[in-house]
Amino acid sequence: MHPKLITIGNFFIPTYGVLVALAFLTALWIAARLGRRSGLNPDSVINLGVYCALAGLAGAKVFLILVNWRYYGSHIGEIFSLSTLQSGGVFYGGLIAALLVAVWYMRRKGLPGLKTADVFAPGIALGHAIGKLGCLSAGCGWGVKSHLPWAVTFTNPDAHRLVGVPLNVPLQPTQLYAVAAETIIFLILYWRFAKAHRDGVIIGLYLVLYSSARFLIDFVRYYEQPNPFGGPFTVTQWIALGMLALGLWLVLRRRQPSSTG
């Protein structure tokens, strides 16, 4: 696709980076808007979003290295390479790191945990959809070979050099599957937020919907390294099942409605 948005000599602005920045700003704007509607301090919501974004970027990279440790363990220098820095990382790693930082910050500022998480959930979904367009432009997170009519074929040598995506081979458009899924999830969450709901239902619904989508998409996503645990499921699919269980618990637990959109 188009991994470089603007090129001046040896300097270039990556399309992925621009779209990730746009995703972050969009998610933060939605969270602040919903936070104000829920009676939360908008400044605290924005600060929380910034801290979580930084933690998420770091966590996604760390998890990428852990999942592919067979490669990075024998190529230590690649951990600090430009290609690793520019790669998208693993979303679940970023999500887990962001959740840990969120718990710490919310306790420090006295923010109600589940209500605050509900505020962020729709923005996370839409931001992730925009970010996946960045993945498509860069070529990262590609799918297995496919001869479906909607398969995508990467031809830009820069995409192969930066992230390793195979060129001139039709592939499952896993990035577009994620964009479509996250866009639908955003619409569902934003609609549900406007109705009376218990604290934790919105973030729980997000976990259920996203984990289900990710679990299915992973069946057609290509992984350079073999599954370290063996079996039919990838590491991220096992994490998806855990997130799904947590989401179902948040959605189904019995309490009186306490929030309105």
Side-chain angles (χ1 to χ4, degrees), residues 9-248:
N10 292 326
F11 172 80
F12 70 92
I13 297 177
T15 307
Y16 177 83
V18 172
L19 286 172
V20 167
L22 177 62
F24 170 68
L25 293 175
T26 301
L28 202 58
W29 177 75
I30 292 173
R33 177 185 176 91
L34 296 182
R36 189 177 295 108
R37 189 185 301 179
S38 297
L40 300 177
N41 186 322
D43 291 336
S44 295
V45 170
I46 291 174
N47 290 336
L48 174 59
V50 172
Y51 281 124
C52 287
L54 294 175
L57 290 173
K61 292 293 190 297
V62 170
F63 205 82
L64 171 70
I65 294 168
L66 292 177
V67 169
N68 298 285
W69 183 248
R70 289 188 181 182
Y71 173 79
Y72 284 106
S74 57
H75 301 81
I76 297 297
E78 285 296 313
I79 295 176
F80 309 101
S81 68
L82 182 62
S83 60
T84 301
L85 180 64
Q86 291 179 328
S87 66
V90 177
F91 176 72
Y92 274 127
L95 179 61
I96 292 170
L99 287 174
L100 292 175
V101 169
V103 170
W104 166 78
Y105 184 85
M106 288 187 292
R107 286 183 176 179
R108 181 182 177 188
K109 294 296 183 180
L111 289 170
L114 291 178
K115 178 181 285 189
T116 305
D118 286 343
V119 161
F120 275 92
I124 291 174
L126 184 57
H128 195 192
I130 298 173
K132 276 298 179 180
L133 289 174
C135 277
L136 180 66
S137 68
C140 55
W142 66 90
V144 297
K145 292 181 181 179
S146 171
H147 296 290
L148 293 171
W150 55 85
V152 296
T153 301
F154 294 88
T155 59
N156 192 314
D158 288 328
H160 176 73
R161 181 176 59 84
L162 291 172
V163 301
V165 61
L167 301 181
N168 304 311
V169 178
L171 306 171
Q172 284 276 5
T174 49
Q175 307 95 334
L176 291 178
Y177 294 157
V179 170
E182 288 282 24
T183 301
I184 293 171
I185 291 170
F186 163 71
L187 294 173
I188 293 172
L189 296 182
Y190 199 84
W191 166 79
R192 185 65 183 86
F193 192 93
K195 300 181 178 297
H197 58 270
R198 299 185 308 276
D199 292 343
V201 165
I202 307 302
I203 187 64
L205 188 58
Y206 169 75
L207 293 175
V208 169
L209 295 174
Y210 173 72
S211 296
S212 299
R214 180 57 190 268
F215 184 85
L216 295 175
I217 292 172
D218 245 38
F219 283 115
V220 294
R221 179 169 172 168
Y222 176 78
Y223 285 95
E224 295 181 86
Q225 301 300 318
N227 184 353
F229 303 112
F233 299 149
T234 64
V235 174
T236 50
Q237 283 178 312
W238 282 113
I239 296 175
L241 292 174
M243 293 289 187
L244 175 63
L246 175 59
L248 286 173

